[in-house]
């Protein structure tokens, strides 16, 4: 039976558990948090709905040993992003948390894959990989899976097509320096940049700029309105977990360590990658133009600078 442990019972961690349980991703779940009252309440609430989900067991604990035997450990714990705060500004507090958490996890779940959701996710993914000592393929972040979903939704709405027929990726940092890979994007197999269908909207350069601005600022709007993003990242993370545990060989823009991707070295960032039971099997070099290539390099530099500032 597959076992998923989720570190952090806040809005994101609890919603990941909810989304994964509804989709029947695993048979065993553990929700861990140092706040025992919080984790007990979330587990009780979720278990009361178990009748309406695929059969599974969910346990809560404030003891890290509950994660023993996990196939995947999802890390969501840490300080949450405040209104007006960038993800990179979270880095110091959440890296400090990782210094104590990761060694404890390695003692109880040394064979697990580690899926990082805590922001800034690219920085934290790099730090977790360093602290764990695990091969880079076994430690990866949720990256721009959500950003890419936001992009596809907005493009689909503009063109009035099903979002499932839009194939486009956001790459680089999950944050302000991320970039859309417009040159590789397609709709129904047609290149997005050449989209011209009678009776349908066109997609001008101004349209693309507006859409991507909405993608990049989406989290800030949501945080201002309700304090946290949780539903979409919960569903996105559940989808990553499915790809892993079902060994789907699915292409997802997760964050993993780059070792020569378009000349980019020694940094974690998001690019389209093949994800399976072993973690990140391979990264795919998209056909990018020169502006996109430079954008990815600048994004990598932004992430790397924060990593170095934190002593890694």
């Amino acid at each position: 039976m597959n076992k998923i442990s989720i570190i952090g019972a806040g809005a994101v961690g609890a919603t990941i558990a909810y989304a994964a349980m509804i989709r029947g991703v695993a048979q065993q779940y553990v929700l861990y948090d140092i706040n025992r009252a919080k984790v007990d309440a979330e587990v009780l609430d979720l278990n009361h709905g178990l009748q309406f989900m695929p059969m599974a067991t969910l346990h809560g604990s404030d003891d890290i040993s509950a994660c023993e035997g996990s196939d995947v450990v999802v890390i969501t714990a840490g300080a949450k992003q405040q209104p007006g705060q960038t993800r990179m500004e979270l880095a110091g507090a959440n890296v400090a948390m990782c210094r104590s958490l990761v060694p404890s996890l390695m003692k109880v779940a040394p064979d697990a894959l580690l899926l990082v959701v805590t922001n800034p996710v690219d920085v934290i993914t790099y730090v977790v990989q360093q602290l764990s000592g695990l091969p880079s393929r076994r430690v990866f972040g949720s990256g721009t899976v959500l950003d890419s979903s936001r992009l596809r939704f907005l493009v689909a709405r503009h063109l009035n097509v099903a979002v499932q027929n839009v194939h486009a990726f956001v790459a680089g940092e999950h944050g302000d320096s991320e970039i859309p890979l417009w040159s590789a994007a397609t709709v129904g197999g047609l290149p997005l940049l050449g989209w011209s269908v009678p009776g349908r909207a066109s997609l001008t350069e101004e349209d693309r700029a507006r859409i991507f601005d909405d993608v990049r600022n989406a989290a800030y709007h949501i945080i201002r309105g309700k304090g946290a993003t949780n539903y979409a990242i919960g569903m996105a993370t559940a989808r990553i977990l499915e790809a892993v545990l079902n060994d789907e060989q699915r292409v997802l823009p997760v964050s993993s360590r780059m070792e020569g991707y378009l000349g980019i070295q020694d940094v974690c960032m998001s690019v389209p990658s093949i994800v399976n039971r072993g973690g990140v099997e391979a990264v795919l070099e998209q056909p990018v133009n020169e502006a996109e290539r430079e954008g990815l390099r600048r994004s990598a530099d932004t992430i790397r600078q924060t990593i170095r500032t934190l002593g890694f």
Side-chain angles (χ1 to χ4, degrees):
M1 291 195 298
N2 291 324
K3 179 177 179 178
I4 296 170
S5 291
I6 301 169
I7 308 299
V12 173
T15 307
I16 290 170
Y18 176 69
M21 291 175 72
I22 284 179
R23 295 180 71 93
V25 177
Q27 294 75 49
Q28 297 181 61
Y29 299 87
V30 167
L31 192 57
Y32 164 85
D33 200 287
I34 58 174
N35 184 338
R36 186 57 189 259
K38 169 68 168 168
V39 76
D40 285 349
E42 293 290 2
V43 168
L44 191 61
D45 198 7
L46 285 164
N47 276 332
H48 287 167
L50 191 59
Q51 175 186 346
F52 312 111
M53 305 179 188
M55 189 59 202
T57 61
L58 170 66
H59 299 289
S61 183
D62 58 357
D63 184 342
I64 199 70
S65 65
C67 300
E68 183 177 0
S70 298
D71 295 283
V72 185
V73 175
V74 183
I75 300 174
T76 78
K80 72 176 184 177
Q81 191 174 356
Q82 299 299 319
Q85 185 182 39
T86 69
R87 294 181 181 96
M88 287 300 187
E89 290 168 349
L90 288 171
N94 288 343
V95 165
M97 177 271 299
C98 288
R99 289 186 186 276
S100 58
L101 172 66
V102 174
S104 299
L105 274 177
M106 288 297 92
K107 289 179 182 178
V108 300
D111 298 323
L113 299 180
L114 302 182
L115 173 54
V116 178
V117 182
T118 299
N119 276 319
V121 68
D122 306 290
V123 172
I124 302 301
T125 299
Y126 185 94
V127 168
V128 169
Q129 197 259 321
Q130 291 287 93
L131 292 174
S132 69
L134 293 175
S136 58
R137 64 172 295 173
R138 290 180 54 194
V139 182
F140 54 102
S142 53
T144 57
V145 173
L146 174 53
D147 310 74
S148 298
S149 178
R150 288 167 173 157
L151 179 67
R152 295 180 186 197
F153 165 72
L154 291 170
V155 169
R157 187 172 65 177
H158 180 82
L159 300 181
N160 193 25
V161 297
V163 68
Q164 292 83 356
N165 295 127
V166 178
H167 295 277
F169 293 106
V170 174
E173 178 200 354
H174 171 56
D176 294 341
S177 71
E178 67 190 17
I179 68 162
L181 301 181
W182 291 118
S183 60
T186 63
V187 179
L190 299 175
L192 181 59
L193 293 183
W195 175 264
S196 179
V197 176
R200 300 280 167 161
S202 61
L203 190 70
T204 65
E205 185 175 348
E206 291 75 18
D207 293 329
R208 295 198 305 272
R210 173 183 49 78
I211 285 171
F212 183 59
D213 187 64
D214 288 345
V215 170
R216 188 165 44 199
N217 292 309
Y220 297 123
H221 291 306
I222 295 168
I223 290 167
R224 278 198 300 270
K226 69 170 195 166
T229 63
N230 61 304
Y231 294 123
I233 187 58
M235 290 184 281
T237 305
R239 193 67 195 87
I240 298 168
L241 290 167
E242 280 183 319
V244 170
L245 295 177
N246 295 334
D247 199 29
E248 289 182 350
Q249 318 298 327
R250 184 169 292 272
V251 176
L252 295 166
V254 294
S255 180
S256 65
R257 188 161 175 165
M258 300 292 102
E259 296 296 350
Y261 183 90
L262 298 177
I264 297 169
Q265 296 277 356
D266 193 31
V267 69
C268 287
M269 69 178 200
S270 295
V271 297
S273 307
I274 298 173
V275 178
N276 60 24
R277 185 79 189 205
V280 178
E281 176 69 26
V283 295
L284 307 180
E285 290 201 11
Q286 298 283 293
V288 297
N289 59 35
E290 191 56 35
E292 290 167 345
R293 184 187 300 269
E294 287 307 309
L296 287 171
R297 289 173 176 168
R298 285 194 300 271
S299 190
D301 289 343
T302 297
I303 300 163
R304 191 183 296 107
Q305 182 178 2
T306 301
I307 291 169
R308 297 293 179 262
T309 299
L310 296 165
F312 284 88

